[in-house]
Amino acid sequence: MTTNGETARVLVIPCSGIGKVHGLISREATYEITDNLAQANADTMCLALLVMGDEEALSKIRSSHCITIDGCPKYCAQKNVELAGGQVAESIMVAEAFKNHRGAQPGTATKLTEDGWLVVREIAEGLSDRVQDLCGCEGEH
Amino acid sequence: MADETLKVGIISCSGEEIPEGTISRLATRRVLELLRAGQTVTLCLPLFLAGGEGERAFAREHPTIAVDGCGKLCAKRGTEMHSGPVSASIVVSEILGDCPSGCGRSTKGTTDADKEAIWVVSERIAAEVDAILSSSTDCCTSDGDDNASCACSKPLPGMQIEVNGRPVTIAGLGLIFDHLAENGLEADDACGDKLLETVRIYHDIRPSEEQGYRSALVSAYKAYRR
């Protein structure tokens, strides 16, 4: 996707669920992508701002590829991006990432343990590859 | 048996784009887990905004405090649009001014500036909770099966220790342990006084029970740090 001829950054949007550790993992995985692994090609957006119908947020979401990270099966991030007219190129749920980490103790909704940060890194690494794919594909079109 | 305790709802914006969103989220958690555990409940804002009648009933069944990171007031406006007037509105950027410039969005490598900001905002929220509870008489009550909050929004359960053979649950004990560990408290036999001094700020300990609590807390802290 492009804006004024420039490739738009991929928007990574977490649910940030406040009740469980999975919400914090979704949030931290997002920052790992936008601030470290894919800094040049990814950005995030306040989910609540989008849900409240902010015009600037709506415009941005409709002109970008989106990746959503949800903590629980309610899929608040994915559903709200889709309701706002955004295209979700990739959607993951944090609980899925725990399938390879049976018995892991990831921490709380406030603070992650080493196990929690390990899951954050795994999610972020997988999705940052996807960010590069999305940006690379645009270049070829 | 129904718990007739009035609970105050706290809805935080959690704004992902700015440090103030992280501060609002963590300050809210601190109130839920530590400062006013058992007196407060929360709900994920996106779930509330996009949810059904169960979620929308939240602010009708609880006096609600909106905690927003910035002047866009998503938490306050969203709550009032869908559920009813909020009892109080807190805006992190108004409380902290330029201070969040030293704060980060991620909890990785939390700095003293982050901790200070979270502390200041959480104390403000707790003060609003107290004001609401002290001014309330017979408005909203909630029972043990709280339909107005989702299952994941309950305050974290406390940690249980055994004091003189009796199980005792202390709300937020894990957080207290984390805080003391970060401040260098060694998990040895000399840590009892500091543990007791800190825990009694949040949990009533009678003088006659001090020794039992001290020994139970030392054992629990050692196990926690192992």
Side-chain angles (χ1 to χ4, degrees), chain A residues 3 12 19-20 22-23 29 50 57 61 67 70 81 89 94 96 99 102 107 109 118-119 125:
Chain A
T3 304
V12 184
K20 283 185 178 170
H22 302 79
L50 180 66
I61 206 97
I67 292 174
D70 278 293
V81 168
V94 169
E96 296 290 320
K99 285 182 176 170
R102 301 269 181 215
L118 177 66
V119 174
E125 283 168 4

Side-chain angles (χ1 to χ4, degrees), chain A residues 27-47:
Chain A
R27 189 177 178 91
E28 292 296 347
T30 297
Y31 293 142
E32 187 66 18
I33 297 165
T34 61
D35 297 354
N36 295 318
L37 299 175
Q39 201 173 355
N41 296 320
D43 205 351
T44 189
M45 172 184 285
C46 295
L47 182 57

Side-chain angles (χ1 to χ4, degrees), chain A:
Chain A
M1 288 190 177
T2 59
T3 304
N4 298 329
E6 293 180 9
T7 303
R9 286 180 167 194
V10 175
L11 290 176
V12 184
I13 302 175
C15 74
S16 290
I18 197 166
K20 283 185 178 170
V21 65
H22 302 79
L24 179 57
I25 289 175
S26 76
R27 189 177 178 91
E28 292 296 347
T30 297
Y31 293 142
E32 187 66 18
I33 297 165
T34 61
D35 297 354
N36 295 318
L37 299 175
Q39 201 173 355
N41 296 320
D43 205 351
T44 189
M45 172 184 285
C46 295
L47 182 57
L49 189 61
L50 180 66
V51 177
M52 287 302 296
D54 179 84
E55 285 298 327
E56 194 180 336
L58 289 173
S59 167
K60 198 171 171 184
I61 206 97
R62 288 168 184 163
S63 60
S64 308
H65 285 300
C66 301
I67 292 174
T68 56
I69 310 177
D70 278 293
C72 81
K74 291 184 186 290
Y75 286 104
C76 290
Q78 181 189 342
K79 286 178 183 172
N80 282 310
V81 168
E82 288 173 345
L83 280 172
Q87 291 183 29
V88 177
E90 187 82 32
S91 163
I92 71 149
M93 188 175 69
V94 169
E96 296 290 320
F98 279 86
K99 285 182 176 170
N100 297 327
H101 297 278
R102 301 269 181 215
Q105 299 293 321
T108 68
T110 306
K111 190 174 183 181
L112 299 181
T113 61
E114 272 305 310
D115 281 354
W117 286 112
L118 177 66
V119 174
V120 164
R121 280 191 293 275
E122 283 188 6
I123 292 172
E125 283 168 4
L127 290 180
S128 65
D129 288 345
R130 186 72 176 116
V131 168
Q132 311 301 358
D133 287 346
L134 290 167
C135 292
C137 285
E138 286 301 324
E140 292 166 13
H141 290 170

Side-chain angles (χ1 to χ4, degrees), chain A residues 13-21 23-24 27-28 30-32 34-36 43-52 54 56 60 72 74 76-77 80 83 108-112 117 121, chain B residues 12-18 21-22 24-26 28-30 32-33 42-47 49-50 55 72 74 77-78 81-82 105-108 150-154 156 175 178 182:
Chain A
I13 302 175
C15 74
S16 290
I18 197 166
K20 283 185 178 170
V21 65
L24 179 57
R27 189 177 178 91
E28 292 296 347
T30 297
Y31 293 142
E32 187 66 18
T34 61
D35 297 354
N36 295 318
D43 205 351
T44 189
M45 172 184 285
C46 295
L47 182 57
L49 189 61
L50 180 66
V51 177
M52 287 302 296
D54 179 84
E56 194 180 336
K60 198 171 171 184
C72 81
K74 291 184 186 290
C76 290
N80 282 310
L83 280 172
T108 68
T110 306
K111 190 174 183 181
L112 299 181
W117 286 112
R121 280 191 293 275
Chain B
S12 164
C13 85
S14 295
E16 285 82 4
E17 293 179 53
I18 54 175
T22 301
S24 69
R25 185 180 188 281
L26 293 177
T28 296
R29 290 291 334 170
R30 186 166 185 269
L32 290 163
E33 294 168 10
T42 190
L43 188 66
C44 301
L45 181 59
L47 176 62
L49 295 178
E55 284 83 20
K72 291 186 177 175
C74 293
R77 290 194 297 121
M81 183 187 302
H82 296 300
R105 300 191 300 184
S106 171
T107 60
K108 186 189 284 180
C150 69
C152 68
S153 67
K154 309 286 186 185
L156 284 181
L175 288 173
D178 286 340
E182 282 174 15

